[in-house]
Amino acid sequence: MPEWWEIGAPAFRQKQREGAGVFPPVVFSERAHTRTIGGPAGPLRLREFLPAQGQARGVYLHMHGGGWVIGGADMQDTMLLALADHAQVVVLSVHYRLAPEHPYPAAPDDCEAAALWLLDHSSELYGTDQLLIGGESAGAHLSAVTLLRLRERLGHCPFAGANFNFGLFDMALTPSARAFGDERLFLRTIDMIQFREAFLPGEQNLRDPDISPLYGELQNLCPALFTIGTRDALLDDSLFMHARWLAAGNAGQLDVYPGAPHVFFRLGDAHGQSSMTQQIQFIRDQLQR
């Protein structure tokens, strides 16, 4: 695969959808529905999955990964269906606007709007007000930013749990991110720098909690599961964020997988299967509180 910054983000996204590079072609589930709500810049789409059987016990608001530049809400249907069916939740994945066409704060604004809409409509549409939030990589970052925004807006955290998978929480780059180098294990140091420059053009305060949630006031937030592999450039992001999460008085679980790279649970190996089992159990546990 050529680099996305060499051929342009739109061309790279198309190649990704066609199955070029390390991943197979995207599988689009027939069980997915599109729900459209009002967003900060017009209609905002949510990809919706209902559990296969029974009444939903909660709703999981999902933010996809891809460095705020690539990826999409419809590119991990198999994973989201597993969460919907085995955790018995409605899953809503946000089609947030992507950089560089739509730089910061477009993506966080869209995710915040989706969360506020869900607070107002979850009981009516899905018969439950039990809400969880989570995502992978950039999606974990956007989930954390959304939690901080809603706590400041509402005065409390409206979510029962947060599922953070190999998130980037420090835009200034943690030691593991800076030192990772050029080894092609899905995410290299240069990739993070290029993603950051697309998402945050111009001069930005990289320690602003709305940009780097690691530096935020983390009190009075929900229980969280942090999942990371030891061969992931973002290892320190999860280690540091988990420690700060606990120090702020929140419940937190850290699952570290030896030798696992970025996005490892898409590889279908034993670590990936174990991680999905843990995520499902974490979601179920929060809905029993």
Side-chain angles (χ1 to χ4, degrees), residues 187-207:
L187 185 69
R188 304 161 296 166
T189 301
I190 185 61
D191 296 317
M192 288 178 280
I193 292 171
Q194 293 287 346
F195 284 140
R196 182 182 67 187
E197 290 183 357
F199 180 58
L200 299 170
E203 293 293 326
Q204 301 282 353
N205 176 11
L206 298 183
R207 294 192 176 185

Side-chain angles (χ1 to χ4, degrees), residues 35-46 94-97 102 105-118 121 149 153:
R35 186 176 291 276
T36 303
I37 66 173
L44 176 61
R45 292 177 298 130
L46 308 176
V94 184
H95 283 276
Y96 58 82
R97 288 170 289 166
H102 304 284
D109 287 352
D110 286 351
C111 294
E112 180 185 16
L116 290 170
W117 175 87
L118 184 58
H121 295 89
R149 286 186 172 197
R153 175 189 285 263

Side-chain angles (χ1 to χ4, degrees), residues 46-71:
L46 308 176
R47 192 164 179 83
E48 178 187 79
F49 298 91
L50 302 177
Q53 296 181 344
Q55 173 67 33
R57 300 173 61 240
V59 182
Y60 180 68
L61 185 64
H62 173 261
M63 283 66 162
H64 69 82
W68 315 275
V69 171
I70 57 178

